[in-house]
Amino acid sequence: MTTTGAKILVIDDEAQIRKLLRVTLTAHGFETAEAATGQDGLLQAAMFRPDLIVLDLGLPDLSGMEVLAGIREWSIVPIIILTAQDQEPDKVAALDRGADDYVTKPFGMGEFMARMRVALRHIAKAPDEPVLKLGQLVIDLAKRSVELHGEKLKLTPTEYDLLKVLGVNAGRVMTHKQLLKQVWGGQQYESDSQYLRVYVGHLRKKIETDPARPQYILTEPGIGYRFAWQEN
């Protein structure tokens, strides 16, 4: 699937936001549909069958979380959350419950379009692709090996597992809880972000030119980490 021509559903009760997105997305060759309520959004998601959904958390009838949960019962369509500046706990909750990314209001269209392209590419990507090429970083999933600038890196098993999860989800925000569960497993680790800070620090020393100014593993304050999407 190419990004141009994809079907985008916008669920937001603000008419100005819907108009802005409709005009911009249409100009870039996307097909759009709109919903101003959660109930209508659920109906449109089933009938329009979008390739990506933009979902506002503050809807007049159902909460955005309820709409997200309803869609996730039957669909893995990428969902980008629109949220207000002071809703950090809601960002984390939405991501933990299956959203792919979030954009904070007010937002710039350049950043929004970039996030949208990443989400569309991610869902179109073959899930069993054996080699991930992310800029100068190459992760061979079959061999469990990593190369940077053509040189093999020495990683511990845990460092590799963490890098793999971040790399497979390149461009997406991964919450502390998601990373702890996928890398360490078990509920006992889900609230202990110290594990992440330590191992992210180790990885940055091995893959970043300047660990203090990372280009690959970016921190999403209070939420988690994002492996920077590398345009090829």
Side-chain angles (χ1 to χ4, degrees), residues 118 122 125 132 163-174 179 182 225-227 229:
V118 167
H122 192 268
K125 195 174 186 180
L132 300 177
L163 183 62
K164 173 186 173 182
V165 171
L166 289 167
V168 167
N169 293 282
R172 295 177 60 183
V173 179
M174 299 295 291
L179 290 169
Q182 291 189 42
Y225 297 93
R226 182 198 301 268
F227 195 96
W229 180 263

Side-chain angles (χ1 to χ4, degrees), residues 67-118:
V67 177
L68 173 62
I71 293 171
R72 278 292 174 257
E73 288 182 357
W74 59 273
S75 176
I76 61 170
V77 61
I79 298 176
I80 296 179
I81 297 295
L82 292 182
T83 178
Q85 185 70 43
D86 59 350
Q87 292 179 314
E88 187 173 286
D90 288 339
K91 297 176 188 175
V92 176
L95 291 165
D96 280 338
R97 295 178 189 181
D100 293 79
D101 205 347
Y102 68 88
V103 175
T104 300
K105 294 180 179 180
F107 56 88
M109 284 308 302
E111 178 188 3
F112 174 82
M113 295 296 290
R115 298 284 180 91
M116 196 179 74
R117 287 193 297 269
V118 167

Side-chain angles (χ1 to χ4, degrees), residues 118 121-122 125 129-141 145-150 153 160 162-172 207-208 215-217 226-232:
V118 167
R121 286 179 182 140
H122 192 268
K125 195 174 186 180
E129 186 176 353
V131 178
L132 300 177
K133 296 181 179 179
L134 303 160
Q136 296 299 314
L137 191 70
V138 178
I139 305 173
D140 190 316
L141 302 180
S145 66
V146 180
E147 292 185 359
L148 181 63
H149 300 291
L153 296 181
Y160 171 81
L162 177 56
L163 183 62
K164 173 186 173 182
V165 171
L166 289 167
V168 167
N169 293 282
R172 295 177 60 183
I207 71 173
E208 302 284 3
Q215 299 297 311
Y216 284 107
I217 304 175
R226 182 198 301 268
F227 195 96
W229 180 263
Q230 301 290 324
E231 295 284 357
N232 293 318

Side-chain angles (χ1 to χ4, degrees), residues 2-209:
T2 59
T3 57
T4 302
K7 298 164 66 175
I8 314 297
L9 170 61
V10 179
I11 307 175
D12 195 306
D13 64 333
E14 295 185 49
Q16 289 183 330
I17 293 289
R18 296 200 308 275
K19 180 179 179 181
L20 171 64
L21 293 177
R22 179 178 69 249
V23 171
T24 303
L25 293 173
T26 300
H28 283 81
F30 295 98
E31 183 180 350
T32 65
E34 302 172 23
T37 66
Q39 290 285 7
D40 190 28
L42 289 170
L43 180 63
Q44 291 279 5
M47 296 181 63
F48 184 58
R49 294 285 176 157
D51 297 304
L52 181 142
I53 295 173
V54 180
L55 174 63
D56 182 25
L57 289 181
L59 298 170
D61 52 350
L62 303 177
S63 70
M65 295 296 187
E66 290 176 303
V67 177
L68 173 62
I71 293 171
R72 278 292 174 257
E73 288 182 357
W74 59 273
S75 176
I76 61 170
V77 61
I79 298 176
I80 296 179
I81 297 295
L82 292 182
T83 178
Q85 185 70 43
D86 59 350
Q87 292 179 314
E88 187 173 286
D90 288 339
K91 297 176 188 175
V92 176
L95 291 165
D96 280 338
R97 295 178 189 181
D100 293 79
D101 205 347
Y102 68 88
V103 175
T104 300
K105 294 180 179 180
F107 56 88
M109 284 308 302
E111 178 188 3
F112 174 82
M113 295 296 290
R115 298 284 180 91
M116 196 179 74
R117 287 193 297 269
V118 167
L120 287 169
R121 286 179 182 140
H122 192 268
I123 198 66
K125 195 174 186 180
D128 298 324
E129 186 176 353
V131 178
L132 300 177
K133 296 181 179 179
L134 303 160
Q136 296 299 314
L137 191 70
V138 178
I139 305 173
D140 190 316
L141 302 180
K143 297 179 180 178
R144 288 180 62 89
S145 66
V146 180
E147 292 185 359
L148 181 63
H149 300 291
E151 296 186 6
K152 192 169 182 178
L153 296 181
K154 293 182 179 180
L155 302 180
T156 68
T158 300
E159 289 170 354
Y160 171 81
D161 289 340
L162 177 56
L163 183 62
K164 173 186 173 182
V165 171
L166 289 167
V168 167
N169 293 282
R172 295 177 60 183
V173 179
M174 299 295 291
T175 67
H176 297 131
K177 181 178 179 180
Q178 288 172 330
L179 290 169
L180 288 164
K181 185 175 182 179
Q182 291 189 42
V183 177
W184 282 271
Q187 293 184 349
Q188 68 268 31
Y189 293 109
E190 289 184 6
S191 61
D192 194 345
S193 58
Q194 179 63 24
Y195 285 97
L196 275 180
R197 286 194 293 271
V198 170
Y199 279 92
V200 166
H202 292 336
L203 278 178
R204 282 174 170 164
K205 289 178 181 178
K206 294 182 178 182
I207 71 173
E208 302 284 3
T209 302

